[in-house]
Amino acid sequence: DDIEDATVNKIALWLCTFTLSVAVCAVLLLPISILSNEVLLTFPHSYYMQWLNGSLIRGLWNLVFLFSNLSLVFLMPFAYFFTESEGFAGSKKGIMARVYETAVMLLLLSLLVLGIVWVASALIHHNTARESLYDLWEYYLPHLYSGISLFGVLLLLLCTPFGLSRMFSVTGSLLVKPRLLENLEETMNCTAFEEASLSRKLKSEYQDLRKKASPWQRNLGYPVAMLLLLALTAVSVLMVCFHVLELLFDESAMPRGMEDPHLGLASFSMFGSLGAAVQVVIILYLMVSSVVGFYSSPLFTGLLPRAQDTTLTQIIGNCVSLLILSSALPVFSRTLGITRFDLLGDFGRYNWLGSFHLVFLYNMLFAGLTSACLINTVTWALQRELIRAFGYPLILPLHHKCCLYHFNLY
């Protein structure tokens, strides 16, 4: 009911909305660039495609880079401090008092971050750091952006393999699973018989879902979805493994930046438009998997948004996390060799991109972690399904089978 708090929360939500919009744009950077190149290859002399050119794409990359760093460095800290501020002691209460306190907090935070960056630069490049003490724009901010990007890429390295394995269980929970060697009417009778002893709401929802699902949805939808996820994951790992071999024999496989994208000259995939479409699908799939892995990680489970039960601080934390993941996606995709589209603008200025050993180790870790997570998930899922399909019906009597079925359903 407090008008002042309501205004502060509304401003913070506006900033969060802008940040999420920038995150969506960062996710779509590579797909739009790849598809634009294919469109210009397909219609090279079309009058209606003259507006689609390299300068437009480069400007889009520069704007996304600018707004993503603006949101990370200024807007989201401002939103957090603004919601937590109450004004200085002894000052007149109001919106402007909160703005003044937030501005002071941001200034102190900026000095602290710049001091940390200066000390780190002095430890790594002693002479350069001393000569560039006042060269804020050309030296320290690129180092800060490079550090944020490296953190985002490392976060993607940890979250994406785990998310790729979790995609199977998450997708399976949204679909109706086919019951191997199971009589549906018998299962419904068992469910009705044990209804009083278990969660009535959960069972009724599950029964309604299976009754409403058509035979095609019950028996075909789940296997097709699992096969599609398995194919996308396998293609991703194969592309990374092929890129590892490219790194050993081809210098152009290293991620690098370019100033002027020459669109419409050649496809960025050896398989033409079909390969470019696969690249776009793989990039979006990896982004979804990284988000699933991020929220499934024990470290970040507390950030998971819940309907009508998410504080504004959690909303800000979610916006920052999603922006870090999405802004690192172009560098992540190019480092893994998912696409040969080089990084545009300031995305290609990161210092660590030129390190062959770091890029090679990154690709090897991603391929190894993804393969390990996938093998572990598929193995345990196969064992569970085989035990449920062949173990319980052959060994246990009907009553025990109903109890175990309800236990699995719960």
Side-chain angles (χ1 to χ4, degrees), residues 326-343:
S326 59
S327 60
L329 182 65
V331 184
F332 174 75
S333 302
R334 182 62 185 92
T335 304
L336 293 179
I338 304 299
T339 180
R340 296 300 294 266
F341 191 93
D342 286 324
L343 303 172

Side-chain angles (χ1 to χ4, degrees), residues 250-398:
D250 188 5
E251 293 183 357
S252 62
M254 285 288 295
R256 64 189 65 189
M258 62 177 176
E259 294 297 330
D260 187 16
H262 301 288
L263 300 181
L265 298 181
S267 178
F268 292 105
S269 173
M270 64 178 66
F271 299 103
S273 299
L274 179 61
V278 172
Q279 289 179 1
V280 171
V281 173
I282 293 297
I283 291 172
L284 297 178
Y285 175 62
L286 291 179
M287 182 61 200
V288 175
S289 301
S290 66
V291 174
V292 172
F294 177 81
Y295 285 116
S296 301
S297 173
L299 296 176
F300 306 106
T301 305
L303 280 177
L304 184 65
R306 295 174 176 83
Q308 306 298 325
D309 191 24
T310 306
T311 63
L312 194 55
T313 304
Q314 287 179 310
I315 294 176
I316 295 173
N318 278 278
C319 293
V320 172
S321 303
L322 293 176
L323 183 58
I324 290 176
L325 292 174
S326 59
S327 60
L329 182 65
V331 184
F332 174 75
S333 302
R334 182 62 185 92
T335 304
L336 293 179
I338 304 299
T339 180
R340 296 300 294 266
F341 191 93
D342 286 324
L343 303 172
L344 290 176
D346 291 323
F347 280 93
R349 294 179 59 188
Y350 300 134
N351 299 331
W352 57 270
L353 287 175
S355 174
F356 170 79
H357 297 89
L358 184 60
V359 173
F360 184 79
L361 179 61
Y362 189 90
N363 281 262
M364 292 296 294
L365 285 175
F366 179 84
L369 290 175
T370 303
S371 302
C373 292
L374 184 62
I375 292 173
N376 182 59
T377 301
V378 173
T379 302
W380 280 102
L382 183 60
Q383 291 178 359
R384 187 169 57 251
E385 292 297 329
L386 289 177
I387 291 175
R388 183 172 59 186
F390 298 100
Y392 296 160
L394 296 178
I395 299 175
L396 300 176
L398 176 63

